[in-house]
């Protein structure tokens, strides 16, 4: 089987390469090799490579900047899956990564794959449009709060700020679930190998606020020696930290269907956080 992976320099793209299963060959493309806003370039690459599966890990992920760049966000997050679906036709499968931002955050329970979407930001709307553009034959995997060693993410941002400051304020009224990119990569490969279709959810077990996540990062990093001391971490409200894009207040994803289909058990986010921090330590 041959897979084409986009966004290979991103944290998920790197994780997909690192977890490549036996029996697969990969063509890995970064932004310089494939502009995801260029539908013609996508068609040429698919025609030249003839992949069995496209793992579209590339995306426009600058959530706040998307509010001022809606056309670019949509050209990548919706235009690319549409172009891949057209180019693949019936000869290959598209695995499209999506997000908890397609929901409005008003639910009192975990969001199921067939729940109604109501994105509250340009980024969320562009990803919802990407789900539609991917088509019925695609594998769509929604996830949340993705992080990995060496990537650009909340964990590494917190580590940097904790090294620089004596006190931090972190939002405590947005609830979701962290997701380790390596675990997500295994799920994408698993769904592709089992010839799934439709919408699936993946996240690590457990839920947290950004404040909870930050406290855990500080405690685990200090235990490993990545932090010399733990700064004071204050819970703050979303209103105290205004951003251009609205975030969902509650974006926990129900992953029961995914777990049953793949036959695996969830790993708690704090356990995966420890593993990631050990990898970060090894990177120096």
């Amino acid at each position: 089987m041959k897979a084409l992976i986009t966004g290979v320099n991103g944290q998920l793209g790197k994780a997909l390469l690192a977890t490549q299963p036996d029996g697969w060959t990969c063509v890995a493309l970064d932004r310089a090799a494939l502009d995801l806003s260029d539908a013609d370039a996508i068609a040429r690459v698919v025609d030249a490579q003839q992949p069995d599966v496209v793992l579209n890990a590339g995306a426009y992920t600058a959530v706040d900047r998307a509010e001022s760049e809606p056309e670019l966000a949509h050209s990548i997050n919706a235009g690319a899956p549409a172009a891949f679906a057209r180019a693949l036709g019936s000869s290959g499968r598209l695995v499209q990564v999506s997000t908890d931002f397609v929901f409005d955050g008003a639910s009192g329970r975990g969001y199921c794959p067939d729940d109604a979407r109501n994105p509250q930001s340009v980024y969320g709307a562009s990803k919802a449009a990407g789900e539609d553009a991917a088509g019925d034959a695609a594998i769509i995997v929604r996830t949340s709060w993705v992080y990995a060693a060496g990537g650009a993410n909340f964990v590494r941002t917190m580590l940097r700020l904790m090294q620089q400051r004596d006190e931090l304020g972190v939002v405590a009224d947005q609830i979701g679930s962290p997701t380790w990119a390596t675990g997500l990569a295994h799920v994408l490969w698993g769904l592709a190998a089992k010839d799934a279709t439709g919408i699936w959810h993946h996240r690590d077990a457990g839920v947290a606020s950004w404040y909870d996540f930050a406290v855990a990062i500080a405690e685990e990093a200090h235990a490993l020696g990545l932090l010399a001391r733990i700064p004071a971490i204050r819970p703050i409200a979303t209103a105290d930290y205004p951003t251009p894009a609205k975030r969902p207040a509650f974006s926990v994803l129900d992953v029961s269907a995914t777990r049953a289909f793949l036959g695996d058990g969830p790993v708690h986010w704090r356990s995966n956080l420890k593993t990631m921090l050990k990898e970060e330590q090894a990177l120096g």
Side-chain angles (χ1 to χ4, degrees), residues 17-187:
L17 277 181
T19 57
Q20 176 183 333
D22 292 340
W24 289 79
T25 59
C26 290
V27 176
L29 302 176
D30 61 13
R31 187 181 304 173
L34 179 60
D35 179 357
L36 291 176
S37 67
D38 187 339
D40 291 336
I42 288 172
R44 289 193 297 269
V45 165
V46 170
D47 183 60
Q49 298 296 336
Q50 294 293 306
D52 298 291
V53 173
V54 171
L55 296 157
N56 189 24
Y60 183 109
T61 57
V63 174
D64 288 319
R65 195 165 70 238
E67 295 298 310
S68 59
E69 296 181 340
E71 291 184 2
L72 181 58
H74 277 268
S75 70
I76 294 172
N77 291 343
F84 277 121
R86 285 194 301 270
L88 287 166
S90 60
S91 64
R93 300 290 304 285
L94 172 62
V95 180
Q96 175 65 22
V97 181
S98 193
T99 174
D100 55 331
F101 273 65
V102 302
F103 297 115
D104 58 18
S107 176
R109 56 161 177 78
Y111 284 99
C112 297
D114 59 354
D115 280 340
R117 302 169 304 175
N118 186 24
Q120 300 293 295
S121 65
V122 169
Y123 169 71
S126 71
K127 295 297 283 186
E131 293 180 359
D132 296 337
D136 294 337
I139 302 168
I140 296 165
V141 182
R142 297 187 186 126
T143 191
S144 60
W145 300 19
V146 178
Y147 68 94
N153 54 64
F154 181 79
V155 178
R156 299 189 76 232
T157 297
M158 285 295 104
L159 285 175
R160 175 176 53 81
L161 293 176
M162 289 170 184
Q163 290 165 348
Q164 297 171 348
R165 302 181 185 178
D166 295 325
E167 182 176 314
L168 294 174
V170 183
V171 172
D173 57 356
Q174 294 175 21
I175 308 299
S177 297
T179 304
W180 186 35
T182 299
L184 174 59
H186 280 296
V187 167

